[in-house]
Amino acid sequence: MTIRLIDTHTHFDVPEYDEHRMLMTERAHEQGVRHLVLIGFLANYFHQMVKVKSQMADFAKSSHQGIQAHLAFGLHPLYIMEQSDSDLVLLDDFIKKHGSIAIAEIGLDTYPKTLAQPDIFEKQKRFFIEQIHLAKHYDLPILLHIRKAHAQVLQILKDHKYRASIQGGIAHSFSGGEQEALALVKMGFKLGITGQITNPNAKKLRNSVMSVFRRYGTEAFVIETDCPDMMPVPCQHLGAFNEPANLVYVLDELAVMFDMDKENLARQLWRNSNEALCQNWVYE
């Protein structure tokens, strides 16, 4: 059976992977991964993203085990206190110079209580809005990071007329409830599902996924590792450092939940990823 997968959200560029990245690329290729997206979080790491994309391109040329890496620059709300307005200028510069298939990951986060302080939250909102404007200017999808701020994110998206049904977009590592999930999908976003779905105790997530599935079918989802985080339960005995090869466990779990043939689901998720990222990568 031929399975082909797109990892729509990774931090595979972080230096912790440097010694093992090519070995992990081979493992991911063996599991069917053919594309992955390198996601921005701090401007200081943009150069590292570009370097790793180039390394992976060179490896793909010299090996039959290569995976195409794609850049998605953005400023992560979790690190808002480390960010300055000059980082927004740098973000624009990197998009112009290196290209970007999306603006990511962006949004709002009030999970650590310090980020919910009014002045810090206002800065988060300002950076989120500025990055929405950049996405609209360059006609790029946005990949959302939302924790305990779904209502505020939905309101900002409406206020600034971001149309995911036209421009694309993913609610990365979705963690909200059923109503938030349905609202995002109605706006045109795909829900990014991570290895967290393999945890039988993640009842809120599983209920939200099934609620969306009953309303919208498999067209509403994409899959991601969010590596190095979100290790699927079946490989937690290997440690806490996730890798793209483990994306297959997310596919396996969704196939069981949706009672679907795994290859048919993989093909649909591939189509969904193309739609969300405004690409037309060919399923081999």
Side-chain angles (χ1 to χ4, degrees), residues 188-232:
F189 288 93
K190 307 295 186 191
L191 300 185
I193 307 302
T194 69
Q196 190 180 12
I197 198 70
T198 65
N199 184 347
N201 295 322
K203 290 177 183 173
K204 179 182 173 185
L205 172 62
R206 294 169 72 87
N207 288 340
S208 296
V209 164
M210 290 310 297
S211 180
V212 168
F213 173 68
R214 285 189 289 269
R215 179 82 61 90
Y216 292 100
T218 54
E219 291 83 358
F221 304 97
V222 297
I223 57 175
E224 55 175 270
T225 55
D226 194 20
C227 65
D229 297 324
M230 301 297 180
M231 178 73 91

Side-chain angles (χ1 to χ4, degrees), residues 107-242:
L108 300 174
D109 193 325
T110 65
Y111 180 65
K113 287 188 169 60
T114 51
L115 294 185
Q117 293 172 20
D119 56 334
I120 296 170
F121 193 58
E122 283 305 309
K123 185 180 177 186
Q124 277 194 64
K125 287 196 282 189
R126 183 166 65 82
F127 271 59
F128 181 32
I129 290 164
E130 287 294 329
Q131 291 181 93
I132 291 172
H133 291 165
L134 266 182
K136 291 176 83 169
H137 175 73
Y138 289 109
D139 194 23
L140 293 172
I142 60 176
L143 311 191
L144 297 170
H145 171 100
I146 317 171
R147 286 198 303 179
K148 295 193 176 297
H150 286 82
Q152 296 94 325
V153 166
L154 287 165
Q155 190 59 54
I156 286 172
L157 291 168
K158 287 173 186 170
D159 290 346
H160 293 271
K161 297 179 171 59
Y162 184 84
R163 300 169 72 189
S165 55
I166 294 170
Q167 209 167 319
I170 297 170
H172 142 69
S173 186
F174 182 76
S175 62
E178 292 179 33
Q179 294 312 308
E180 292 94 346
L182 291 165
L184 284 160
V185 174
K186 186 177 180 182
M187 292 180 80
F189 288 93
K190 307 295 186 191
L191 300 185
I193 307 302
T194 69
Q196 190 180 12
I197 198 70
T198 65
N199 184 347
N201 295 322
K203 290 177 183 173
K204 179 182 173 185
L205 172 62
R206 294 169 72 87
N207 288 340
S208 296
V209 164
M210 290 310 297
S211 180
V212 168
F213 173 68
R214 285 189 289 269
R215 179 82 61 90
Y216 292 100
T218 54
E219 291 83 358
F221 304 97
V222 297
I223 57 175
E224 55 175 270
T225 55
D226 194 20
C227 65
D229 297 324
M230 301 297 180
M231 178 73 91
V233 169
C235 31
Q236 283 181 357
H237 64 285
L238 301 174
F241 212 62
N242 201 5

Side-chain angles (χ1 to χ4, degrees), residues 54 84 94 130 183:
S54 177
S84 64
F94 266 81
E130 287 294 329

Side-chain angles (χ1 to χ4, degrees), residues 233-254:
V233 169
C235 31
Q236 283 181 357
H237 64 285
L238 301 174
F241 212 62
N242 201 5
E243 61 179 281
N246 295 333
L247 188 63
V248 70
Y249 293 103
V250 184
L251 173 72
D252 290 346
E253 188 67 26
L254 288 180

